[in-house]
Amino acid sequence: MDDLQQDLTGLRALRADAPRPDRARLAAGRARLHQAATGAARGRRFRADWRLAAAGVAATLTVAALLAADVVGGGAGGTRVADPAARPGYTATARLGSAADGKDLGDAAKLLRQAADTVEQTPVPTPHDGQWIYTRYVDAGRIDGGPEPRESESWTAYDDPSYAARKEYRLLRSLPDDPERVKKKVRTLEEGRPDSETSAQYDFRLLGGLSQAFPTDPEGRAKVLRAMATLPGITAARVTDNLGRKAVAIGQGTVRKKGFTEFQLLYDPETFAPLGERGIAGYDAEPDADDKDGWKAGDVLSTHALVDQALVDEDGQRP
């Protein structure tokens, strides 16, 4: 409990009248990492779908496809591999690590509730039509031995009807106070729960996506965090991501349970600003012709690390 309280010192220190940040707060990118159950015939490959889990998105792609493409088009703006020389900053490492590298923070529900108290008082930019969402991120994975980490940046119109940002923002502003009603309303984002997910995993994925949505409404995001705190099996650990940043990882404790890999959300330990997502192996896998290294339950198999996100006025503009 002492470690938990220490990690929350920065959260409690923030004030409602804190200066407005000079760039938009970090938040998860459009690509939501989502790992479905690995119930394929062979029962051991990590080729399950990593879906774009934001509301209304039907496209599904594998991590390998995401990392292999130099340009990912679609919608207004699009995504391209960043020029490291043009955007100095974090450098991705090839080591993804293991969930065992972290330190348990104890009462995850209490941490989420305390984080919500601070988040709802944090100044954030208010979006408007005509703006663009700039995102810079690094993806890495271990499929077929693992491609090198890829740093990319994207621009998407906030009012693009094919993009969920404006819909998510309006939903956040309309959420009720009661956590059970929040969960019920958030479930309307999708037509129904996939057979590959339990009810708790379904709620965690939808709520987790909204907790990292950008742009965000602070009061709505706080309500989402309080709803997440009511989910069974929630865990919290202090970890280091593959960019070397300290983070709090929120998961569901599904490793070694029913073959699921665990979907974890990463947040800054002081401000609870979103830092990205990662997938943790839920079972041991021996090397074979397709997966030459194999892995152990708890190994980090794929990450989506957010480096920066902001509202800008033009396509191609950087904050």
Side-chain angles (χ1 to χ4, degrees):
M1 188 63 64
D2 290 340
D3 288 335
L4 173 61
Q5 298 300 328
Q6 182 177 358
D7 270 44
L8 290 172
T9 299
L11 286 173
R12 292 191 296 267
L14 293 177
R15 306 184 313 276
D17 60 349
R20 186 184 185 92
D22 59 359
R23 62 176 59 197
R25 296 184 60 77
L26 293 176
R30 173 63 170 160
R32 307 276 190 229
L33 289 183
H34 166 56
Q35 166 57 46
T38 57
R42 294 177 57 218
R44 52 94 59 228
R45 290 298 311 281
F46 187 63
R47 285 199 179 278
D49 297 337
W50 288 83
R51 304 177 201 174
L52 300 182
V57 179
T60 300
L61 69 163
T62 64
V63 173
L66 177 65
L67 300 181
D70 282 346
V71 176
V72 181
T79 304
R80 65 170 180 263
V81 174
D83 177 3
R87 298 289 291 160
Y90 291 107
T91 300
T93 66
R95 182 180 182 278
L96 300 183
S98 167
D101 296 338
K103 184 175 182 180
D104 182 21
L105 289 176
D107 191 341
K110 182 176 181 180
L111 185 150
L112 286 170
R113 290 192 296 268
Q114 290 180 322
D117 291 342
T118 294
V119 163
E120 68 183 351
Q121 301 180 60
T122 303
V124 296
T126 300
H128 58 77
D129 289 355
Q131 288 186 306
W132 292 74
I133 299 172
Y134 167 80
T135 306
R136 181 183 172 209
Y137 54 92
V138 175
D139 286 298
R142 287 184 53 175
I143 295 177
D144 295 328
E148 290 297 318
R150 304 282 291 194
E151 180 175 336
S152 304
E153 51 188 357
S154 66
W155 291 263
T156 308
Y158 167 70
D159 52 357
D160 180 353
S162 67
Y163 188 43
R166 184 167 59 176
K167 180 179 180 179
E168 290 178 334
Y169 181 78
R170 290 174 176 174
L171 176 66
L172 285 166
R173 289 178 62 89
S174 69
L175 290 178
D177 292 327
D178 179 64
E180 293 303 317
R181 293 177 60 203
V182 169
K183 288 186 284 187
K184 184 177 180 179
K185 188 162 187 175
V186 170
R187 290 179 195 131
T188 64
L189 287 171
E190 292 188 359
E191 294 182 359
R193 174 173 61 86
D195 293 338
S196 61
E197 293 177 322
T198 67
S199 295
Q201 288 169 328
Y202 181 54
D203 286 339
F204 181 68
R205 176 169 60 84
L206 294 180
L207 290 168
L210 278 178
S211 79
Q212 300 209 349
F214 184 87
T216 191
D217 174 72
E219 292 185 2
R221 184 171 177 242
K223 294 173 183 178
V224 167
L225 292 175
R226 293 186 182 108
M228 288 175 64
T230 69
L231 299 178
I234 294 295
T235 62
R238 183 169 56 238
V239 303
T240 301
D241 73 1
N242 68 311
L243 303 186
R245 302 177 298 187
K246 300 299 181 183
V248 171
I250 301 294
Q252 278 189 304
T254 56
V255 173
R256 294 195 182 280
K257 293 183 180 179
K258 300 181 180 180
F260 284 97
T261 59
E262 181 163 285
F263 171 58
Q264 291 186 340
L265 299 157
L266 304 181
Y267 304 89
D268 183 280
E270 293 189 354
T271 65
F272 227 71
L275 296 181
E277 306 100 343
R278 65 181 191 172
I280 309 297
Y283 58 94
D284 295 345
E286 296 298 325
D288 66 8
D290 295 313
D291 301 300
K292 65 181 182 180
D293 295 325
W295 55 74
K296 298 293 184 182
D299 283 353
V300 180
L301 298 182
S302 192
T303 68
H304 178 79
L306 183 73
V307 178
D308 194 12
Q309 197 155 48
L311 289 169
V312 295
D313 294 328
E314 298 178 1
D315 183 12
Q317 178 183 353
R318 295 186 176 100

